[in-house]
Amino acid sequence: MNLINMDSENRVVLNVGGIRHETYKATLKKIPATRLSKLTEALANYDPLLNEYFFDRHPGVFAQVLNYYRTGKLHYPTDVCGPLFEEELEFWGLDSNQVEPCCWMTYTQHRDTQETLAVLDRLDLDTEKPSEEELARKFGFEDDYYKGTLSWWQETKPRIWSLFDEPYSSNAAKIIGVVSVFFICISILSFCLKTHPDMRVPYVRNNSVQTANGSSGWFLEKTQTNAHIAFFYIECVCNAWFTFEILVRFISSPNKCDFIKSSVNIIDYIATLSFYIDLVLQRFASHLENADILEFFSIIRIMRLFKLTRHSSGLKILIQTFRASAKELTLLVFFLVLGIVIFASLVYYAERIQTNPHNDFNSIPLGLWWALVTMTTVGYGDMVPKTYIGMFVGALCALAGVLTIALPVPVIVSNFAMYYSHTQARAKLPKKRRRVLPVEQPRPPRLPGQSGGVSGCGTPGSGPNSGPMGSGGTGPRRMNNKTKDLVSPKSGPIGASIVAMSPRTMLDLNPALAMVKPTFESRGPPITSKDFKDTDKNTTDASKKNFL
């Protein structure tokens, strides 16, 4: 009998989110310095009537938490989100790094998702118009906004910035965005077409010569061709717009340093500056030899295509994909360089083993070019092995190239799919959502000297085992509505007597009471219906007084 009593005393009932768990106190002591290892009946979570501890937490996660106390192995439930699991572990005082290796990859997926969402926030892919408060915070004059003392420039500056830098903020911004894209396309098209022979004008020079008989003559000499003059005027108009756009965006930018350091802006003002540099060189350095080589630097203008990233979220995602896949791309280049050097050396010596009068591989550097075009499956055919050993080396080079390129590519594709899917999800996600703060319901303190009704263990009075019924009851009651009507702070001795007359009703309404095995006793003689009528009013007034 003593062993049975000791076993029942060592047991503890934990009610987490409405699901009851029963274990031993020694099990909870296996992991010290945690919430469950410090359970005492003085805690607000303890319910003396039900003899259990109640926690309004996620029951699914707690099953794994309790299993961790029992077995010493923490597993991750796949039906909950990662941040929720971390919050629950933090509440119970456990370390999230103790997750078993079999669940670690699944558990850490949410961290990759959070990093992806943070990257998308930096990319500024939102197409909705920001509020006035957000604009004021962005430009650093939220104090003046709250005070209502905004100046004319403070009100106009965000509008100008939105017009030129946020194409989806308004209809006027969309029009300016279309104009900017139009000039970018015209500039790129003009840059490409002016190199076509039919679009160039020959430069003819008149040369005078002396003939053999002493007379003089002249002839026309075509020395070079220049682009048509129409392309010059087109570039002037386009660069005038680009210059105006850069100046307006710089003046109205919320942060001048960030504007200057932006990679897209660097390309923009270098491309615009190259046009004015070309004008100066054509004016003062056209007579120099090899002056045409200076036109090579005008190729920076083709980089204006990256300005389209402000108007296309797909280009932003593509660029971010390459940034996120930098390790895979580096690994791909390393494997390619390794394979190129190996197969170039092999094919060089393979072609020299047999008699080969038409050997194309006179040196290993020439073999590097052949290995590159073979591993990338391009195969120009300008250099081919002609011996059997060389053909065998070429076959191995082609197979190695296919495997080398095919291995990192799925990682890059998966990164792009991940960013694109999260972008689509963020576009459909509502911006304003209700935030629920996790606040635990506190239990009112027990006042000394209070006399309770029926105790949780069947003994009247107050103390640690006193129940919540009567005036001495404390704490929240996790009972159904019918039980709450029968036993409540307002019922007083009447309610205690009703329960004493019909204890089976309590057990039927709440089966959890059967585990506590309470005993009920009445105070005084049995109460009749006449007593109910006489004491109804007095009991109501007394209960109100006790309640207040």
Side-chain angles (χ1 to χ4, degrees), residues 353-365:
I353 293 177
Q354 298 181 3
T355 303
N356 186 10
H358 304 287
N359 186 10
D360 295 331
F361 302 92
N362 297 322
S363 63
I364 292 180

Side-chain angles (χ1 to χ4, degrees), residues 417-455:
M418 178 181 61
Y419 284 114
Y420 187 78
S421 61
H422 283 296
T423 303
Q424 297 299 319
R426 289 176 77 256
K428 299 178 182 178
L429 187 69
K431 299 301 178 183
K432 296 182 180 180
R433 294 180 293 169
R434 178 178 296 177
R435 298 294 181 182
V436 180
L437 298 178
V439 179
E440 188 175 354
Q441 184 69 24
R443 187 175 183 179
R446 182 178 301 163
L447 299 178
Q450 280 187 330
S451 61
V454 180
S455 65

